[in-house]
Amino acid sequence: MKYPWVQSERVGCSRRAFLLGATGFAAAMSPIGSAAGAGIYDAPAALATMPGLKDHASAKGILFGTAIAPTKNNLSLSDPAYGSALVTECNVFVAENAMKWGSLEATRGALTFGGADAVATFAERSGAKLRGHTLLWHQNVPGWVEPALGSGGAEAVIRKHIAEVVGRYKGRVHSWDVVNEGVGDAPVARADGLRTTPFLNALGPTYFDIAFDAAHQADPDAVLTYNDYNLEHGAPYNATKRNNVLRLLEGLRKRNVPVQALGVQAHLHTGEMFVERDYARFLNDIAQLGLKIFVTELDVDDRGAPMDVSARDAQCADLVRAFLDVTLAQKACTAVLTWGIADKISWLNLPPQPLRSDGATHRPTVLDDDLKRKPMWQAIARSLLAAAAR
Ligand code: 9MR
């Protein structure tokens, strides 16, 4: 099989992804090009003049964006080339780290909103929407939180944090990741699959209810999201995780907890199988619960792919195309965000993430180190156009 990590069993119109003709995207340009072509990609020069991914997304009626930091790996939002690439490609931004609890309140009661405000301001000045990430996560929790949760005041501590953060940006946030990664990875210790976190230890599963309620009270217009990873690929542990996330969300909906969306992080891996039918069924189950779906952190860990850059870029792009074709066939999906727009600022290329065994840097995103568009850019553009044409 040409794409060994993509199982050939396909559903519905996602089949067309690998049947469409190979070239002609640039040549057949209407305002924003044609939908054709998976597997063969144009050189950066041919891609350079095309409209941004946000325009391709608008054709489908959805948002496209990425995670940003005020400064990362010496690249700042005020860098003209970087800023221009962000504004060209995106109409939604999410704070990669600046809105995490550890960034906002390292010392109890001493709130530092500088980085978060910079991200919010950048989004607003760009005319883009803003996603908030994230209110409760077991990582980036300030050291003072766990002892504070343990002394009987857990609900008050959580409610205060959420009221302060969501309240500050009230009316300015498209959607909030309220709980991040609250379901464990197999083997999970608990029968309900929930991850053992300081919040779960203090309050049990009702910490989800409390967090979503507090966020809803602080900003009734933000789309409240549960965000998680390992939901996309085809291994048994992915199936277990999908099932546990689905059960969590079913429970929240039954209890009228105001969860309104699932964030599918989409940290994809070239070394892992993608089974379209299983993933599509999961998305359908989520949509049946009345939830929206956002792709929140799309990128590719290319450790399973060869060192050769064009072969590697094509594998990453093909995987993203297969993944997005299934995702965008689901009408509940209304936003796609990558986790960084350029390879040199991707978390996958920065410590403590492991590099590839051949020492090459990862190529996980849509722009190369010179901020030039890569095959993955074209795969996303094509998938958005194909979805818009359906
Ligand atoms: O990309 C983020 C990296 O810079 C941080 O050091 C790390 C810990 O806060 O978080 C990374 O982002 C994670 C995101 O917040 C949640 N999903 C997984 C992301 C990659 O680890």
Side-chain angles (χ1 to χ4, degrees), residues 261-320:
L262 170 67
V264 174
Q265 289 187 9
H267 293 294
L268 306 179
H269 303 257
T270 51
E272 292 181 29
M273 191 166 62
F274 178 56
V275 182
E276 296 184 0
R277 188 183 58 180
D278 295 350
Y279 172 62
R281 189 179 293 143
F282 170 68
L283 295 186
N284 190 51
D285 289 342
I286 295 295
Q288 293 294 313
L289 292 176
L291 298 172
K292 294 210 178 316
I293 294 163
F294 306 136
V295 174
T296 50
E297 305 185 15
L298 176 62
D299 61 16
V300 180
D301 179 330
D302 63 25
R303 270 178 291 168
M307 191 176 189
D308 175 78
V309 165
S310 34
R312 188 143 50 102
D313 279 357
Q315 275 200 20
C316 292
D318 287 354
L319 176 57
V320 165

Side-chain angles (χ1 to χ4, degrees), residues 175-306:
S175 49
W176 265 108
D177 289 337
V178 177
V179 179
N180 191 43
E181 302 171 7
V183 172
D185 293 305
V188 224
R190 294 172 54 100
D192 59 11
L194 296 183
R195 184 188 294 275
T196 305
T197 67
F199 317 112
L200 188 88
N201 288 338
L203 292 161
T206 55
Y207 89 83
F208 288 91
D209 307 39
I210 292 165
F212 279 95
D213 179 63
H216 181 65
Q217 286 189 28
D219 188 349
D221 294 328
V223 181
L224 303 185
T225 307
Y226 173 74
N227 192 47
D228 216 330
Y229 66 101
N230 272 347
L231 303 172
E232 308 81 7
H233 281 286
Y237 76 90
N238 299 113
T240 303
K241 187 135 184 193
R242 281 192 289 269
N243 189 38
N244 287 336
V245 165
L246 185 60
R247 284 194 296 150
L248 167 69
L249 293 172
E250 274 168 358
L252 295 179
R253 295 293 279 175
K254 264 190 205 136
R255 301 200 295 278
N256 286 322
V257 174
V259 59
Q260 291 151 307
L262 170 67
V264 174
Q265 289 187 9
H267 293 294
L268 306 179
H269 303 257
T270 51
E272 292 181 29
M273 191 166 62
F274 178 56
V275 182
E276 296 184 0
R277 188 183 58 180
D278 295 350
Y279 172 62
R281 189 179 293 143
F282 170 68
L283 295 186
N284 190 51
D285 289 342
I286 295 295
Q288 293 294 313
L289 292 176
L291 298 172
K292 294 210 178 316
I293 294 163
F294 306 136
V295 174
T296 50
E297 305 185 15
L298 176 62
D299 61 16
V300 180
D301 179 330
D302 63 25
R303 270 178 291 168

